[in-house]
Amino acid sequence: MKPAFDLLVIGAGFSGAVLAERFARVLGKSSLVIDRRNHVAGNAFDEYDGAGVLVHRYGPHYFRTNSERVRAYLSQFTAWRAAEYQILAFSDGRLWNFPINLNTFEQFLGRPSSTEEMEVTLAKWRVPLARPPRNSEEVIVAQVGRELYEKFFKNYTRKQWRRDPSELDPGVCGRIPIRTNRDNRYLTERFQALPADGYTPLIQRILDHPKIEVRLGITLRDVIGKVSFKHLVYSGPVDEFFQHRFGPLPYRSLRFEPETLPVPFFQPAVQVNYPNDFEFTRIVETKHITGQVLPVTTIIREYPEDYGPGREPYYPIPAPEAKAAYARYARLAAAYPNVSFVGRLATYRYYNMDQVIAMALAEFDRLTGSHGGHGEDHHTAPRRNTATTA
Ligand code: FAD
Ligand code: UDP
């Protein structure tokens, strides 16, 4: 007899873990959660490295949300450590405040200034549009003009995506705020904090339930036909699920290069972006936000790479033709009522953690006919397969 579960969940990242937890805790339904990696937490995975430094293995993960439902949900499993993420950009041989704000403007002028002067100046520099911006070049140039766009956005974006900003949706560069005050925070969401003990313990606690069994280092192919289940939750790449029937979707990959150094800190902020120099896009030093006190530090350089065999599909590409290619898979996925396609890769959306958690909670509501969110999150978490990328 095959082992029987109510749910087979592919992927132990946030989206898979949240759905398994909701079915277990609310309805007493069983799940087998598998992941092809040898750890839970998906791309949010963090761990102590050989030097004892808590690092984010797959890029910096700054938790932020405007959703009270998502914050309250996660707070059942974690305490929070306050964190205001402040980053810098390195360009023309010096560090700049980033995102662009009054401090950056003063650095640019080389003298003190004011919000009023910055607004008047930006009004002269910006290239106004009579319609909403159609791409990531327009969205920035329409706010700050060409010079600041080229200094901070153009080459970083080309490096990160191997595409010109004009070929990417406005939301890619448009998600970076531009301010005329002295607010140095990278993000705009109301709630910004880190899970007190890290992301991996948080997801372990979400999955810690007698009705949830977790098996790591195995793939969907290893279990299919060997266990029985009523419903499948899939959080891997949607094109892979359908054996690339309509051709592979484009993704962007990364290589992470860690280095431990015998100093308490390497750089003055958790993240320094390199828009123009070097092959990496950013250097991340998590000690700045975890509050660890150690005589050593670990930095991780992030190198963008083309996606291919042996590489992880870290980013779906938020661009019109990629979205159109995904739409064919979305239509196919909609014909599988016994499969929930959830998360960043299965719905091909450039989503943050809070958005995939909101999506998983909304999917639970949809499957069970409940109204847990009272409609609150439905603008941040479109029903599966209906919304477009980013
Ligand atoms: P994932 O975390 O990708 O989990 C899916 C899991 O499924 C993976 O572990 C994978 O191994 C497994 N899997 C796939 N296919 C199979 C299969 N066939 N069989 C078995 N297992 C399979 N979000 C933020 O909110 N703030 C940030 O600062 C932030 N920074 C980021 C930086 C980088 C570099 C990246 C790549 C992402 C960042 N994110 C950030 C986004 C965040 O990582 C995602 O929103 C979130 O982790 C997505 O969760 P998920 O469950 O959808 O997918
Ligand atoms: N970006 C940029 N310059 C920067 C930072 C960001 O041009 O210094 C653009 C780039 O296209 C990037 C996007 O804004 O991919 C979103 O940046 P974010 O830091 O949010 O990216 P993520 O953490 O998701 O990689």
Side-chain angles (χ1 to χ4, degrees):
M1 255 246 315
K2 292 182 202 165
F5 297 89
D6 293 305
L7 263 70
L8 173 61
V9 179
I10 310 304
F14 268 115
S15 38
V18 167
L19 269 163
E21 185 276 341
R22 287 290 79 192
F23 273 95
R25 280 235 283 183
V26 179
L27 300 174
K29 304 269 189 201
S30 62
S31 289
L32 173 63
V33 179
I34 68 154
D35 204 298
R36 59 183 164 204
R37 294 173 175 174
N38 62 7
H39 59 71
V40 301
N43 284 336
F45 177 66
D46 54 8
E47 66 173 344
Y48 290 90
D49 69 7
V53 182
L54 181 56
V55 293
H56 294 179
R57 272 292 164 222
Y58 306 106
H61 277 68
Y62 307 138
F63 186 78
R64 62 328 241 299
T65 192
N66 284 328
S67 164
E68 177 50 25
R69 186 186 190 194
V70 169
R71 194 201 59 76
Y73 173 79
L74 291 179
S75 300
Q76 301 174 87
F77 306 99
T78 189
W80 297 99
R81 174 184 166 77
E84 286 201 339
Y85 314 110
Q86 299 210 7
I87 74 149
L88 299 167
F90 181 85
S91 181
D92 301 327
R94 62 159 295 171
L95 292 169
W96 303 78
N97 282 102
F98 192 81
I100 295 170
N101 65 16
L102 179 55
N103 297 322
T104 326
F105 185 64
E106 289 184 339
Q107 289 156 358
F108 190 75
L109 296 180
R111 61 168 172 81
S113 181
S114 63
T115 294
E116 195 185 21
E117 185 188 10
M118 184 171 179
E119 280 167 359
V120 169
T121 309
L122 289 187
K124 284 188 215 140
W125 288 353
R126 67 174 60 110
V127 181
L129 283 173
R131 49 163 177 76
R134 291 198 181 126
N135 59 55
S136 270
E137 177 180 334
E138 287 186 357
V139 79
I140 300 299
V141 172
Q143 292 180 84
V144 298
R146 207 149 268 290
E147 190 166 355
L148 292 179
Y149 160 75
E150 285 181 5
K151 194 177 195 57
F152 293 114
F153 290 93
K154 185 176 174 182
N155 295 327
Y156 185 106
T157 300
R158 293 175 77 117
K159 210 171 3 176
Q160 166 73 7
W161 301 96
R162 207 214 273 232
R163 279 171 189 241
D164 193 78
S166 61
E167 299 167 286
L168 291 162
D169 288 350
V172 178
C173 290
R175 72 196 229 128
I176 308 293
I178 287 172
R179 307 188 177 105
T180 54
N181 59 19
R182 295 193 192 275
D183 184 350
N184 283 325
R185 291 171 310 155
Y186 197 46
L187 310 171
T188 49
E189 284 82 354
R190 278 196 300 275
F191 182 74
Q192 302 183 20
L194 282 178
D197 321 311
Y199 292 100
T200 307
L202 161 59
I203 293 187
Q204 281 165 342
R205 287 195 285 267
I206 293 175
L207 288 166
D208 183 18
H209 191 283
K211 290 277 183 186
I212 301 178
E213 186 176 327
V214 179
R215 279 200 236 150
L216 300 172
I218 57 171
T219 74
L220 173 56
R221 278 164 194 260
D222 298 320
V223 291
I224 219 79
K226 298 194 182 123
V227 297
S228 74
F229 56 90
K230 295 183 187 128
H231 191 79
L232 185 69
V233 172
Y234 180 76
S235 67
V238 63
D239 52 340
E240 191 183 313
F241 185 87
F242 293 110
Q243 280 97 44
H244 307 105
R245 189 180 302 183
F246 304 129
L249 291 174
Y251 298 94
R252 199 71 180 132
S253 194
L254 295 171
R255 178 165 58 85
F256 301 98
E257 194 184 86
E259 185 182 1
T260 297
L261 300 158
V263 290
F265 285 102
F266 166 78
Q267 61 187 24
V270 59
Q271 181 176 320
V272 177
N273 289 356
Y274 289 79
N276 298 310
D277 309 273
F278 307 103
E279 280 173 25
F280 46 85
T281 48
R282 53 190 177 189
I283 301 182
V284 173
E285 186 175 26
T286 30
K287 262 183 82 187
H288 284 279
I289 52 173
T290 57
Q292 274 192 293
V293 180
L294 288 171
V296 296
T297 190
T298 299
I299 57 169
I300 300 186
R301 293 186 178 82
E302 221 169 287
Y303 294 84
E305 290 196 326
D306 293 339
Y307 174 57
R311 292 186 179 160
E312 287 285 331
Y314 288 112
Y315 294 85
I317 309 281
E321 88 291 348
K323 221 186 292 187
Y326 164 66
R328 299 185 72 189
Y329 283 108
R331 280 193 294 274
L332 190 58
Y336 286 68
N338 294 333
V339 184
S340 291
F341 293 87
V342 287
R344 178 150 147 148
L345 297 172
T347 64
Y348 202 72
R349 292 184 191 124
Y350 183 17
Y351 262 12
N352 297 321
M353 293 177 282
D354 63 321
Q355 293 170 302
V356 307
I357 294 161
M359 189 196 288
L361 294 172
E363 179 65 358
F364 177 74
D365 294 345
R366 193 188 70 83
L367 290 170
T368 58
S370 56
H371 302 283
H374 309 289
E376 182 212 344
D377 287 321
H378 288 209
H379 59 291
T380 52
R383 286 164 80 104
R384 69 188 174 121
N385 305 333
T386 55
T388 50
T389 318

